[in-house]
Amino acid sequence: REEGVNFESRMCLMLYLGTGLDIPLRSSNDLRIEEVNPARDPVRQWLSLPFVHFIGAHTGCSCGFPSVSAEVAIEFFPGMLDDNPDRNADIRSVKALLALLAERVLMGDEVQLYPVWTGEEGEPPKGMIEIAARDLVPERFFFNERFLHRITRGSA
């Protein structure tokens, strides 16, 4: 995390990852895996897998993962993410996240991700988005905020 910045008190996107097998905590410039702050525990009710972690991007919080806010899930369209001045750093964080997800999916059947704004962890998902891990492309990847994202192996 950035020195002297408390992401828990700012309005930030927070990404929560549910897995069937526990994962080690770690931190790098592009990706961090942390325990869920006890104040954020209500998020656990939306993830059906037993292990839940907070995932941070290059920003410390999860704001470095591209996301959109809408009432219905939207799909990628060309140009939708092009106006972000931090796009290169975001893609580095996305690549690190997708590598983690691919590793986890190979070890189990699925992972779950819930991107939600700080303080909204108790709010139910607006819906579910299912994606096969092989279909994840860093340059096209983004989250639909407050949708549960289920990443699976997909059919062969």
Side-chain angles (χ1 to χ4, degrees):
R1 297 198 175 197
E2 294 175 21
E3 280 306 308
V5 177
N6 180 359
F7 292 104
E8 300 297 319
S9 65
R10 280 191 346 195
M11 278 301 291
C12 286
L13 188 67
M14 306 292 279
L15 177 62
Y16 298 96
L17 169 68
T19 57
L21 301 170
D22 201 7
I23 56 177
L25 305 180
R26 70 178 191 221
S27 182
S28 72
N29 290 337
D30 297 321
L31 189 77
R32 56 192 78 240
I33 303 169
E34 300 177 359
E35 295 291 342
V36 174
N37 179 311
R40 310 288 179 218
D41 273 348
V43 77
R44 294 177 188 278
Q45 68 187 308
W46 312 122
L47 301 162
S48 64
L49 298 171
F51 298 98
V52 178
H53 291 86
F54 164 77
I55 305 295
H58 65 93
T59 54
C61 61
S62 306
C63 292
F65 297 119
S67 68
V68 297
S69 179
E71 292 306 307
V72 296
I74 65 169
E75 294 193 20
F76 177 84
F77 57 87
M80 74 181 289
L81 304 172
D82 291 349
D83 64 350
N84 181 346
D86 294 327
R87 185 77 176 128
N88 289 335
D90 290 355
I91 288 177
R92 282 195 316 272
S93 286
V94 166
K95 285 180 177 179
L97 174 64
L98 296 186
L100 171 68
L101 298 181
E103 170 188 308
R104 293 287 110 189
V105 168
L106 285 175
M107 296 175 79
D109 262 344
E110 73 175 84
V111 297
Q112 298 169 351
L113 297 144
Y114 189 43
V116 61
W117 286 94
T118 304
E120 294 183 355
E121 286 86 354
E123 296 292 320
K126 296 176 182 178
M128 181 182 293
I129 298 170
E130 296 198 30
I131 309 166
R134 69 175 180 277
D135 295 334
L136 297 173
V137 177
E139 294 76 18
R140 299 171 52 95
F141 183 84
F142 69 98
F143 288 110
N144 282 271
E145 296 165 10
R146 270 199 47 218
F147 278 79
L148 187 64
H149 295 69
R150 183 173 174 254
I151 312 298
T152 63
R153 238 182 247 161
S155 56

